[in-house]
Amino acid sequence: YFQHTPTMVASFRSSLLPVTLLLAASARSGSGFASPRGDVAPRCRRVVDDGASRVAGGTALPAAVDDDAARPTRRDFLATTAAAAAAVLPLSTAPLPALAKEEPPPPTRAAVAEAFDAIRLELTSPTGVYNSLSSLIENGSFEEILQYTKESDAYFRKAKIGKARKLLTDKELKGRSIEMSNAVTFDLIGINRASRPGKENREEQLRYLGELKKDVEIFLELEGTIDVID
């Protein structure tokens, strides 16, 4: 559709010359794009003195400084990091010396006697847990039994028996004392259930009351196993 004249052809060829040179440089660099760090310009080389050296104050300066040569490469950084980690790793993974746990001193004889006498009193005193529950069961005071068994688990089992448990010095017996303490709770629960509305059962109340006394007496035997100091 257009008539090509020699002048137009020459102009078109001259416009293609920069593109041809750019593609040729890209092919030599192995990339589809011209590298900004290719051979077209010096690689950030700062010439200090027109290709020679300049003397400043009697000190000769280098003719050129290559920024890329002075800059550490990624491979150098990784190698340095790996070497540092290898040197620190044995120190960080070394086990720390175990600190010996100091055992508490044995309780005094007076402290042990006071704790266990308080429990023993709950079986023998007219106002103790055992005799108080026995009287309530005998009188058929079911509502009062429901309240009393709840309160007894708190001030008797948790407070008094719990205090005596902490004084035990035999580790095995100390573990077994938890079961003894729980048995007292189950006895109180049994009495409570046999006193609920519609489930009142005097025989069950007395049975669990007897179990309560036996379990407390078994716990009291632990007093003689404690190592004490005067």
Side-chain angles (χ1 to χ4, degrees), residues 125-216:
S125 173
T127 57
V129 171
Y130 178 78
N131 288 317
S132 294
L133 282 173
S134 181
S135 297
L136 292 174
I137 293 173
E138 186 68 25
N139 296 331
S141 305
F142 297 107
E143 293 183 2
E144 295 182 30
I145 292 174
L146 292 175
Q147 184 64 29
Y148 190 84
T149 50
K150 294 179 182 179
E151 296 174 354
S152 298
D153 187 64
Y155 89 87
F156 175 53
R157 198 269 304 177
K158 290 183 179 179
K160 296 188 176 183
I161 295 181
K163 180 180 179 180
R165 280 188 55 250
K166 296 179 181 179
L167 301 177
L168 298 175
T169 54
D170 187 289
K171 293 182 179 180
E172 183 178 354
L173 292 178
K174 198 168 189 177
R176 291 176 55 189
S177 69
I178 298 178
E179 301 175 1
M180 299 178 187
S181 176
N182 291 337
V184 173
T185 297
F186 296 147
D187 297 333
L188 292 172
I189 292 175
I191 298 174
N192 184 281
R193 287 178 177 177
S195 305
R196 295 174 185 177
K199 297 182 179 180
E200 296 90 342
N201 191 320
R202 186 172 181 275
E203 292 182 358
E204 284 294 295
Q205 291 175 332
L206 293 175
R207 183 173 73 86
Y208 281 108
L209 181 62
E211 294 293 330
L212 174 66
K213 183 178 181 180
K214 292 179 182 179
D215 291 332
V216 174

Side-chain angles (χ1 to χ4, degrees), residues 88-106:
V88 174
L89 185 60
L91 297 177
S92 60
T93 58
L96 296 176
L99 298 178
K101 185 178 180 180
E102 295 184 0
E103 294 291 338

Side-chain angles (χ1 to χ4, degrees), residues 37-80:
R37 299 176 63 84
D39 298 330
V40 180
R43 301 180 61 184
C44 300
R45 182 184 299 275
R46 297 199 300 269
V47 179
V48 180
D49 183 18
D50 298 333
S53 62
R54 176 179 302 171
V55 178
T59 304
L61 300 177
V65 177
D66 193 340
D67 286 348
D68 289 336
R71 183 184 299 113
T73 64
R74 182 173 179 270
R75 179 174 296 179
D76 294 337
F77 173 76
L78 293 177
T80 304

